[in-house]
Amino acid sequence: MTDPDIRHRRVRLGRLELHVAEAGPADGPPTILLHGFPESWLGWRRQIGPLAGSGLRLAVPDQRGYGLSDRPRGLEAYHLDRLAGDVIALADACTFEKFRLVGHDWGGLVAFWTASFFPDRIERLAVLNGFHPGVFGPYLRRHPGQVLRSAYAGAFQLPLIPERLLTARDGLALREMLRRSARPGTFSEADLDRYAEDWRRPGAVTAMLNWYRALARLPRESNPPRIAAPTLILWGRRDPALQPGLAQASLAHCDRGRVQWIPQATHWVQHEAAAEVNAALIAFLRG
């Protein structure tokens, strides 16, 4: 993506450096967008222009382990507390005292966690097809159908084998995962080729998988604080990986939350229903 209105820089957060795309007016409401697996800042390519055009000041990082950002080693580096800490450190580096936070997929988990533990920093929270980390274990025990949908995450716990499978033939398995889980035509060959550039970087796929491994293996707070910020959950109902009940379960952790269903969209709602998502985000974030 070569939009001249998007600025790129590396931001140092202690020992970590993140690549960050920025757009929008310097005096606009500060807003951070967090991508999910296996994307990068490019996962928001259909949102950056409209949101910046509405007056929002955007910071859109490659999260740790992804894209052009650093890839620290070890599972501890990908604990949810570290990932939420990156969001706050990025906000500090951008001089965002308070800010809006938006996340998709894994970015949604991080966004929920950040809003739980840093309530004084988050003004508004929006999550797209992502759930609060506190609901997943209990939900799985009550809904065996979700266990089947989440089988891939269990496979990611194996050592080395997932890396070999996902990187073989220029990331064919990841390309097929995106194609088959989305509506036809959602991801062009050019889109997939651009993602594959990042997947080929040394250690990239291991870092991406370590998000899943850390979530499953490392202890975290079992009773996180409730989310005080106004919260909007946008959910494509045809998500093949996550049941809609996870959206409703996540609302139970929010003091002021609501779900907006997008019936024809899958997990990749921000790509498939970009106009509807953009309109909903602008109305909510600018409200």
Side-chain angles (χ1 to χ4, degrees), residues 150-159 162 213:
S150 303
Y152 69 94
F156 286 170
Q157 303 302 315
L158 298 171
R213 292 163 177 164

Side-chain angles (χ1 to χ4, degrees), residues 177-223:
M177 184 272 292
L178 287 168
R179 286 193 192 100
R180 293 178 180 179
S181 61
R183 286 173 12 194
T186 298
F187 296 103
S188 69
E189 283 304 312
D191 294 335
L192 298 174
D193 287 344
R194 179 60 187 86
Y195 287 149
E197 288 182 28
D198 290 331
W199 303 335
R200 288 194 297 267
R201 300 183 193 281
V205 171
T206 293
M208 291 157 58
L209 293 174
N210 278 346
W211 285 53
Y212 289 91
R213 292 163 177 164
L215 185 68
R217 302 179 198 177
L218 300 180
R220 64 181 187 276
E221 175 60 55
S222 59
N223 188 28

Side-chain angles (χ1 to χ4, degrees), residues 138-157:
Y139 189 89
L140 284 180
R141 289 191 286 273
R142 298 192 308 271
H143 299 86
Q146 182 59 54
V147 176
L148 296 175
R149 294 193 189 200
S150 303
Y152 69 94
F156 286 170
Q157 303 302 315

Side-chain angles (χ1 to χ4, degrees), residues 76-215:
E76 287 285 350
Y78 299 92
H79 192 285
L80 267 172
D81 292 347
R82 293 280 183 90
L83 304 175
D86 288 348
V87 177
I88 298 302
L90 175 60
D92 290 343
C94 294
T95 67
F96 296 170
E97 181 179 355
K98 294 186 176 182
F99 57 98
R100 282 92 165 135
L101 185 58
V102 183
H104 169 250
D105 180 73
W106 254 108
L109 275 72
V110 176
F112 271 127
W113 206 247
T114 305
S116 284
F117 287 95
F118 299 92
D120 58 324
R121 302 296 299 274
I122 309 302
E123 290 192 317
R124 288 178 176 265
L125 171 68
V127 173
L128 287 64
N129 283 73
F131 54 85
H132 193 294
V135 310
F136 198 56
Y139 189 89
L140 284 180
R141 289 191 286 273
R142 298 192 308 271
H143 299 86
Q146 182 59 54
V147 176
L148 296 175
R149 294 193 189 200
S150 303
Y152 69 94
F156 286 170
Q157 303 302 315
L158 298 171
L160 300 179
I161 293 174
E163 282 90 333
R164 292 173 182 170
L165 292 175
L166 295 180
T167 57
R169 300 174 64 185
D170 197 26
L172 179 62
L174 286 170
R175 291 170 183 260
E176 287 300 303
M177 184 272 292
L178 287 168
R179 286 193 192 100
R180 293 178 180 179
S181 61
R183 286 173 12 194
T186 298
F187 296 103
S188 69
E189 283 304 312
D191 294 335
L192 298 174
D193 287 344
R194 179 60 187 86
Y195 287 149
E197 288 182 28
D198 290 331
W199 303 335
R200 288 194 297 267
R201 300 183 193 281
V205 171
T206 293
M208 291 157 58
L209 293 174
N210 278 346
W211 285 53
Y212 289 91
R213 292 163 177 164
L215 185 68

Side-chain angles (χ1 to χ4, degrees), residues 24-42:
D27 60 350
T31 306
I32 295 177
L33 309 182
L34 302 176
H35 67 82
F37 176 91
E39 297 190 283
S40 65
W41 75 273
L42 284 164

Side-chain angles (χ1 to χ4, degrees), residues 36 122 124 155 161 200 223 246 267 274 276 278 282-285:
I122 309 302
R124 288 178 176 265
I161 293 174
R200 288 194 297 267
N223 188 28
L246 285 165
H267 185 74
E276 187 173 352
N278 294 344
I282 290 168
F284 176 70
L285 298 172

